Amino acid sequence: MAYLCNRRFFIFSVFFFLLSTLTLYSESQPAFKVVVLGAHGGPKDCNLSSYLLAPKESNDFIALDAGTLLEGIYIANSKNSFEEIKINPDSDLAFEIEILRNHIKAYLISHAHLDHVAGLVINSTADSKKPIFGVDSTIDFMRDNLFNWQIWPNFAGEGKKPWLNKYQYKRLKIGQQIPILDTEMRVEPFLLSHPNGYQSTAFLIEHRDSYVVYFGDTDSDALESKKHLEKVWKKIAPLISQNKFRGMFLESSYQNKRPTAELFGHLNPKYMMEELNNLARLVDPVNPQTALKNLKIIVTHIKESVFKGASSKEIIEEELNALNNLDVQFIFPEQGERLEL
Ligand SMILES: [Zn+2]
Ligand SMILES: [Zn+2]
């Protein structure tokens, strides 16, 4: 009897050991893939904010912002970042146009500043029918100031007529998570502060209970009264505790030496680390210093220096690594490269 009990206990233990190992294994596996189409925030006009995101096993991407599209797709293809995508051999289209038309299923635009939409406007003639997601202010500004037959033909389905109806505006509502058609992802928007009361957006993307968050341009909560970032931190803190959170795209536009009055609604390494410490305290108030250990942070929107000497990226990388009291994993994306989260 004792032998049987021991044997049952042994089988039971092995079963639970395997189950917990499997769970840990799947939680540590990447859930998303990213192709970097544009990594910076200007002034160079060929590498502006845009990131393709898809579940790891899918080739149906969304574009998070669209500052640079086709140029980034060409560079990504030269780096084999789309190697698992097979195109119909009978197609006479260039591979890169096939990616633009058939593998970008939707645009999610954080705000309508040109460094986030220029590629979408210029590439619209070569693009296919698809939705553009944004909050009301983003859609209104694009409708009134971009696709208006003055700056560019109206490829959308609102505003100045005639409508070419290639793009369908989809207005996101705060507090609502909705599916992104033709993909296996869902999105919930959060408002962010940008200069002079201008609204920018963060997108929380979900795929089968795994999450990433993409931040458009944002002020620090220390410098504005609405505390928009705190609302995002409160949403994602429990997801981090439950091992459901895979990483974030967060901007650090300027070096620390730039005066605060000239940040124009952007973060620098100092404010980025303050914000990450705010998040860490929400995740684990007792041991905040280990709460975000190894969390992947893709550092976006670095503004290139106009001066001789070290690049802004080199300096911001040095500044962030020196301030990294949380052991987060900073990733400094290169245009065309493929990442996993
Ligand atoms: Zn902006
Ligand atoms: Zn920007």
Side-chain angles (χ1 to χ4, degrees):
M1 191 64 195
Y3 165 76
L4 260 182
C5 276
N6 276 343
R7 200 179 131 98
R8 265 188 212 148
F9 179 73
F10 176 74
I11 292 170
F12 201 63
S13 311
V14 168
F15 175 74
F16 271 95
F17 172 76
L18 286 174
L19 194 71
S20 57
T21 311
L22 205 68
T23 311
L24 272 176
Y25 176 78
S26 70
E27 279 169 358
S28 61
Q29 287 301 298
F32 295 93
K33 60 187 176 192
V34 174
V35 179
V36 181
L37 298 189
H40 292 170
K44 283 189 194 158
D45 51 359
C46 56
N47 190 8
L48 299 168
S49 287
S50 184
Y51 298 85
L52 297 186
L53 179 77
K56 179 117 193 308
E57 68 283 4
S58 165
N59 289 317
D60 295 331
F61 291 91
I62 53 173
L64 296 159
D65 280 329
T68 298
L69 290 176
L70 259 184
E71 170 74 5
I73 295 173
Y74 274 87
I75 293 172
N77 190 31
S78 74
K79 294 182 177 179
N80 292 324
S81 292
F82 298 115
E83 62 184 347
E84 73 271 43
I85 298 184
K86 303 283 174 268
I87 297 297
N88 176 1
D90 296 335
S91 168
D92 52 5
L93 284 177
F95 177 82
E96 291 83 356
I97 301 293
E98 290 273 5
I99 298 290
L100 175 76
R101 287 193 183 175
N102 299 324
H103 291 277
I104 301 180
K105 300 296 183 183
Y107 299 104
L108 274 66
I109 303 297
S110 67
H111 63 303
H113 280 167
L114 281 177
D115 52 325
H116 301 257
V117 296
L120 168 56
V121 174
I122 298 297
N123 298 160
S124 56
T125 51
D127 206 353
S128 60
K129 217 171 160 89
K130 61 191 68 163
I132 298 175
F133 290 86
V135 293
D136 279 335
S137 58
T138 304
I139 301 295
D140 289 350
F141 293 153
M142 292 184 74
R143 176 195 64 198
D144 297 342
N145 303 313
L146 293 172
F147 293 122
N148 63 2
W149 288 109
Q150 292 168 322
I151 299 296
W152 203 250
N154 187 358
F155 279 98
E158 285 185 32
K160 196 96 181 282
K161 288 188 173 175
W163 300 339
L164 300 175
N165 283 317
K166 185 175 272 189
Y167 299 125
Q168 304 87 49
Y169 293 131
K170 301 280 184 195
R171 291 164 184 270
L172 296 168
K173 300 283 171 249
I174 301 305
Q176 274 181 22
Q177 191 206 45
I178 61 161
I180 304 167
L181 218 65
D182 296 327
T183 76
E184 294 166 46
M185 293 172 279
R186 301 169 66 84
V187 58
E188 180 181 348
F190 293 81
L191 289 184
L192 299 174
S193 293
H194 209 22
N196 306 322
Y198 188 95
Q199 281 180 342
S200 172
T201 322
F203 299 116
L204 181 65
I205 309 292
E206 188 231 322
H207 165 69
R208 293 187 194 153
D209 226 13
S210 289
Y211 294 80
V212 296
V213 67
Y214 174 84
F215 288 88
D217 298 355
T218 182
D219 219 331
S220 140
D221 276 2
L223 301 177
E224 62 92 45
S225 58
K226 293 202 175 110
K227 309 294 172 214
H228 281 318
L229 284 174
E230 189 179 63
K231 289 173 197 140
V232 186
W233 301 146
K234 282 186 172 159
K235 176 77 185 193
I236 65 175
L239 302 176
I240 294 172
S241 303
Q242 295 157 25
N243 273 324
K244 294 177 177 175
F245 191 73
R246 304 304 177 134
M248 69 174 89
F249 302 75
L250 185 59
E251 70 128 303
S252 182
S253 294
Y254 293 114
Q255 302 167 28
N256 280 332
K257 70 175 183 196
R258 191 178 175 95
T260 302
E262 291 172 26
L263 290 177
F264 305 122
H266 291 290
L267 298 178
N268 63 15
K270 171 179 163 281
Y271 285 117
M272 184 195 258
M273 277 317 300
E274 278 184 18
E275 287 299 338
L276 291 175
N277 275 279
N278 291 343
L279 171 62
R281 281 190 289 274
L282 288 172
V283 175
D284 187 347
V286 181
N287 288 311
Q289 64 283 359
T290 55
L292 304 185
K293 198 170 185 318
N294 296 327
L295 182 69
K296 288 181 178 173
I297 316 264
I298 298 178
V299 181
T300 66
H301 207 267
I302 290 174
K303 298 244 182 208
E304 289 127 352
S305 169
V306 294
F307 299 105
K308 290 177 185 163
S311 72
S312 286
K313 187 175 170 179
E314 287 167 320
I315 294 168
I316 286 172
E317 187 166 349
E318 227 168 71
E319 290 181 344
L320 276 172
N321 287 333
L323 290 169
N324 186 3
N325 63 322
L326 298 171
D327 281 334
V328 295
Q329 187 186 336
F330 286 120
I331 296 166
F332 297 88
E334 290 284 341
Q335 189 174 30
E337 81 173 320
R338 185 180 147 141
L339 305 166
E340 289 182 339
L341 290 174

